[in-house]
Structures are given as structure tokens and as C-alpha cells.
Amino acid sequence: MNDFDYDMFEDAEELSPMYDESYSSANLWYDDEESEEVVSVGELWEMCVEPTMRDGLVHVGKLLIWCFLFRASTQLVQVPPMVCHAVSAGSGLLILHHFFKFTTVYIIGFIVVAYIILSLTSYLLKKYRGPIMGTICIVFLVVCELFFVKKTEWHKIRGAQMLVAMKIISVAFDADIGTLQTLPSPIEFSGYLLCVGTCVFGPWIPYRDYIAIYNKPVWNFQWVWRIISSIVLSMLFLTISTCWIQWLIPDESWRWWVAYRDALSFRSSHYFISFLSEASAITSGFGHHDTSYWTLTVARPQYIEVPRSLVQVVVFWNMPMHQWLKTYIFRTTKSFGSFAAILSTYAVSSLLHGLNFQLAAVLLSLGAYTYTEYVLRQKLASVFRACIQVRPCRKDCSHRSKDKQFLVILANVGFGILAMFHLSYLGVMFDVSSKLQDEGYNYMHTISKWSTLNYASHWVALFTYVFYLLV
């Protein structure tokens, strides 16, 4: 099971301060007195799509302008490294204040406390810095959520706080394993954590990649094209999430269609954030390879909406975050056994999101689902000598039945449909039109959503595991 990868579901709305009930309401294009009358495409465009895109572009534009100014001021000409880091931290603070106002002080306090503790542990121990900083970061996030910040305010900034925590933990682990020979100075540390291209919407970027953007920066047409294409895709998925999907599948539809609609709406909001984070990071200079190609990719919707397996979904849901979890959590805990590593990975990802029963329930369910799917398909692939594992086989694999054979295609399609079923069930409670999203979804909301579907996905997962034991 060395190649079993893990990721986490990220609550996309909590990273986006531009979500507003007036845009996400499913009844936006209905008249209160004539709720039965469905509007035309033109009216939908005028009442929902156009204002949603306008509001989104206003926020996106401000972010991208600051990302470009940061890159132009630090990568067009030779600038002293300390100046680069200072500009990175300063522009990051400005954009954080734009989105989060006074609550930015909690992010600054988090960074200051973390650097002091990391410096002390480096001086006293010079090892175990990764586990120590991981524990401290999680405790800090939980304490702030419980005692210091209002729920509505914390729900807006916890995505940015989670990104800061991931960067701090990665620096601590890199120092332990020798990837970093010395700790970054305070200004380097601040520049990395507050970099304007990644501090609001992500993605997580390793410290070495942050340092690399100042080394032989690439300016070419492909850089511009990647930014434009990412923005277009981001706006497309924003309108799908807030406008199109509710229009295509009304509330009166079959309950499983409504479940699929709500889950797709949530996934589309995640794709919006993913492509937006891609655009901001690339605008800041991240992601170039050699002298021409820009390889930074955050999510791949095509592998999520038409999946081969749930394992494939969690890998491509947020690829930088997947790499973070795999490198710093899964591999660190792998010595305790595969199942313990799985639970640790999903538990850490859940705690980083805060005290949220909804996310914890989804993540732990997803952990059980992906483990069950992986071991079952491994066993079936061994018994039938067929390419039906969670990932496509290599061309030179030892299986007798290859991917292009009809029965193998049929089996893989069947597992893909099963994955889509689980995704609809798990994502149904992420209702972007609910007023609860301002404070986070509670225990009763999650249970009520799953109960309307008779806990079908959990029963199917249990049956799948029993079947695996019997094979």
C-alpha cells in the first residue's frame, strides 16, 4: 500500500469572503408571489449570472493587481533578497486586510507566536520540530475558535489561518529532515507565510518554491494565457455554483437529483476557489518550469466529476494540499501501520479545518470509503488478474485483462458510478444557500441531510467492506 495517496475535502466557501446569500440563494430568480414560474435564460443571466460575475471580478481584480505589482517590483529587475521578502509580506498584509479587516490581527499573532516557538525548539532540541509545531498550530486554531473569535468572523478567516498553519508545519518538518539547512530569518519567514499570491485562497506552496520565484523569473505569453484561462474557468464555476445548477435542477426534483445538485454546487464553488488560487499564484510567479512551461495545477475537475475511483477524487481535489498531507502527515505516521496513517491523515486535515462536525464527519467517512475501495479493488485485481485497481495500470503491468477490454471497462465504470454516488451523498450538506454557512454547519444539519437519504452511502460502504472480507 505504499502508493496509496490521501487528500482532504476543503470547505471552499470558508476561503471565499465574497459569498453572499443574495447570490447563492436558490430562489434568486423567482418572484416571491409566483414561485412556480421559472425564469428564462436571459432573465437568469440578468438577475444572477451577470451580477455574480461582476462582483467576483471586482474581488479577483484587486487580488490579481496586487499579485502583479508584487511580481513586477521583485522579479523584473535585480532586487536585494530582503527587499523581496519585505514586499511579499507587506503586500500580503494589505490584501489580507482588504478581505478580512481587523481579524487579520489573529493571523499576524499566529505568525509571531509560531516563529518564536520554532526558533526556541530549534535552539533547544534541533529535532521533533515538525510534530511540535503541528501540535501547537492545531491547539492555537482550536483555542482561537473556542475563546477568542466570533464564529462568523472565524469562519471567514480560518481558511487563511489553515494555510498559515500548513506553511509553518512544512517549514518545521523540512528543518527536521534537512531540506532546510537553517531556519528562515524573520523577514524570510514572513515573506513566505504572507506572500500575496497564496495567503488568501492558497494554494499551499513549499518554501523552496517560494524562494525559487526570485531566481531567473519567466515572463512569456504562456504565463499570460495560464492566468487568463484560470480566471475564465474560475468565473465559469462560480456561476455554475450560484446560478446554473439551481436553475437546471429545481427543488421539486427527485431527492437524489437534489442531492447531486447540492453536492455539485459545493464542488463547483471549490473549483472556483481552486482556479482563482491558481491564477493568483501564477500571477505572483509560482509554477514555472525551466524557461517556458507553467505547471502549477490545483484541481482537475474532469477526474472528480467523472472519477475512476474515490482515491482519484481525493488526489485531484486539491493537488498541492494532497502533496502536503502525503509528505508531512501520511509518511510521518506510516510506521504505525497503513490504517493508523489513514486515520491520522484525515484527523489532522479535519482538525486544521477547526471544530466542525460536518467536515469531520465527511473526512472520516471519506477515509473509511477510500480505504475500503482500495483494498477491495486490490484484491479483485489480484483474483481476476485485471486492471481494476483504483489507479490506471502501467502498460507493462502483469495483469491478463487490460484496461481496454470490455469487462474491465465495465467494472471500472461501475466503480466510477459508485464513487459519484458517494460524492453526492457526502457533499449534500454543503449547501451554499444555507444561512448556516456564515457560522459553520452544526451536528443536526449534517444528520438531517444524511437522514433524508436514509444513510444510504454508509450502508453501501459497509456492504462493500463486508464483501471485501468475504472475497
Side-chain angles (χ1 to χ4, degrees):
M1 295 179 63
N2 293 331
D3 60 342
F4 191 62
D5 300 322
Y6 303 93
D7 197 8
M8 66 176 162
F9 273 94
E10 178 183 358
D11 188 356
E13 295 83 63
E14 73 190 32
L15 292 179
S16 174
M18 69 182 70
Y19 267 88
D20 185 271
E21 185 185 349
S22 61
Y23 288 154
S24 59
S25 173
N27 294 320
L28 182 63
W29 46 86
Y30 293 94
D31 185 87
D32 291 337
E33 297 180 356
E34 299 179 1
S35 59
E36 298 294 328
E37 183 180 351
V38 179
V39 301
S40 65
V41 173
E43 291 171 323
L44 177 66
W45 177 272
E46 181 181 352
M47 299 175 65
C48 185
V49 176
E50 192 274 333
T52 297
M53 291 183 62
R54 183 178 62 247
D55 185 68
L57 286 172
V58 167
H59 289 272
V60 170
K62 292 177 181 178
L63 173 63
L64 294 182
I65 287 172
W66 276 106
C67 290
F68 177 78
L69 291 175
F70 158 68
R71 187 171 196 226
S73 61
T74 59
Q75 300 166 46
L76 266 178
V77 295
Q78 192 75 22
V79 179
M82 290 301 105
V83 175
C84 293
H85 301 310
V87 172
S88 176
S91 56
L93 282 174
L94 286 173
I95 203 66
L96 283 170
H97 183 266
H98 168 72
F99 281 108
F100 306 125
K101 301 299 186 272
F102 174 76
T103 49
T104 303
V105 70
Y106 293 101
I107 298 175
I108 298 173
F110 188 15
I111 293 172
V112 172
V113 171
Y115 189 78
I116 292 173
I117 296 175
L118 181 58
S119 299
L120 288 174
T121 54
S122 297
Y123 177 76
L124 297 174
L125 299 177
K126 295 186 178 179
K127 58 180 181 178
Y128 306 124
R129 287 168 286 191
I132 291 172
M133 293 309 301
T135 303
I136 290 173
C137 286
I138 290 174
V139 170
F140 181 89
L141 296 178
V142 171
V143 169
C144 282
E145 184 172 6
L146 288 177
F147 301 108
F148 295 113
V149 190
K150 293 180 180 179
K151 285 187 177 181
T152 53
E153 294 179 351
W154 180 254
H155 188 72
K156 293 178 181 178
I157 69 167
R158 68 179 180 183
Q161 289 279 44
M162 182 178 67
L163 287 165
V164 169
M166 291 171 63
K167 292 178 180 180
I168 292 169
I169 294 169
S170 66
V171 167
F173 272 105
D174 287 345
D176 281 343
I177 63 180
T179 305
L180 288 177
Q181 298 300 321
T182 59
L183 280 182
S185 66
I187 190 65
E188 292 171 331
F189 191 73
S190 300
Y192 170 51
L193 267 60
L194 295 171
C195 182
V196 66
T198 62
C199 65
V200 179
F201 300 107
W204 169 79
I205 298 292
Y207 180 73
R208 64 179 181 275
D209 288 1
Y210 165 71
I211 296 299
I213 65 174
Y214 306 113
N215 182 28
K216 298 180 180 179
V218 175
W219 299 80
N220 57 15
F221 175 76
Q222 194 195 54
W223 173 69
V224 178
W225 172 249
R226 280 299 307 275
I227 295 170
I228 294 174
S229 61
S230 295
I231 294 172
V232 170
L233 288 171
S234 177
M235 292 297 104
L236 171 64
F237 283 113
L238 175 61
T239 59
I240 289 174
S241 174
T242 58
C243 302
W244 294 108
I245 190 64
Q246 269 83 11
W247 183 71
L248 291 171
I249 306 177
D251 291 336
E252 296 76 19
S253 303
W254 179 44
R255 61 177 179 174
W256 276 101
W257 273 120
V258 174
Y260 176 79
R261 179 199 69 186
D262 292 344
L264 178 59
S265 179
F266 163 70
R267 294 198 300 272
S268 296
S269 68
H270 168 71
Y271 304 146
F272 157 62
I273 294 297
S274 297
F275 284 108
L276 175 55
S277 67
E278 202 174 275
S280 64
I282 292 174
T283 303
S284 300
F286 292 98
H288 69 81
H289 179 71
D290 295 330
T291 59
S292 58
Y293 296 104
W294 294 80
T295 58
L296 178 63
T297 301
V298 177
R300 292 186 176 179
Q302 66 271 31
Y303 294 118
I304 300 171
E305 297 306 316
V306 188
R308 176 189 176 94
S309 63
L310 278 176
V311 172
Q312 185 184 59
V313 170
V314 298
V315 169
F316 292 113
W317 180 263
N318 188 316
M319 297 170 68
M321 203 165 287
H322 150 71
Q323 188 61 37
W324 185 89
L325 286 168
K326 180 181 177 181
T327 303
Y328 301 112
I329 308 301
F330 180 72
R331 288 177 178 171
T332 302
T333 57
K334 188 74 187 305
S335 59
F336 298 103
S338 296
F339 188 69
I342 295 170
L343 288 180
S344 300
T345 301
Y346 283 95
V348 168
S349 61
S350 177
L351 288 170
L352 284 173
H353 280 83
L355 299 178
N356 189 315
F357 176 83
Q358 174 205 40
L359 283 172
V362 169
L363 289 170
L364 294 177
S365 296
L366 187 61
Y369 289 5
T370 51
Y371 175 79
T372 300
E373 178 190 43
Y374 179 83
V375 294
L376 173 62
R377 294 181 71 166
Q378 280 284 91
K379 183 174 286 189
L380 292 177
S382 177
V383 171
F384 295 105
R385 297 180 61 190
C387 295
I388 55 176
Q389 295 172 303
V390 293
R391 293 186 185 83
C393 292
R394 296 187 301 269
K395 292 182 178 180
D396 59 346
C397 72
S398 60
H399 294 136
R400 179 178 56 197
S401 300
K402 302 297 183 180
D403 273 325
K404 295 184 179 180
Q405 294 187 14
F406 176 75
L407 291 178
V408 174
I409 293 175
L410 192 63
N412 286 324
V413 168
F415 279 112
I417 293 173
L418 181 61
M420 293 173 66
F421 162 76
H422 287 310
L423 286 178
S424 297
Y425 177 85
L426 292 174
V428 70
M429 78 286 298
F430 294 98
D431 184 2
V432 297
S433 66
S434 173
K435 296 180 180 179
L436 289 174
Q437 70 170 330
D438 293 333
E439 297 183 2
Y441 300 95
N442 56 35
Y443 165 84
M444 291 305 300
H445 179 268
T446 303
I447 297 301
S448 65
K449 286 285 187 176
W450 279 347
S451 65
T452 60
L453 300 176
N454 300 318
Y455 306 100
S457 178
H458 285 99
W459 286 112
V460 170
L462 178 61
F463 172 79
T464 303
Y465 185 70
V466 172
F467 179 71
Y468 153 74
L469 294 177
L470 296 175
V471 173

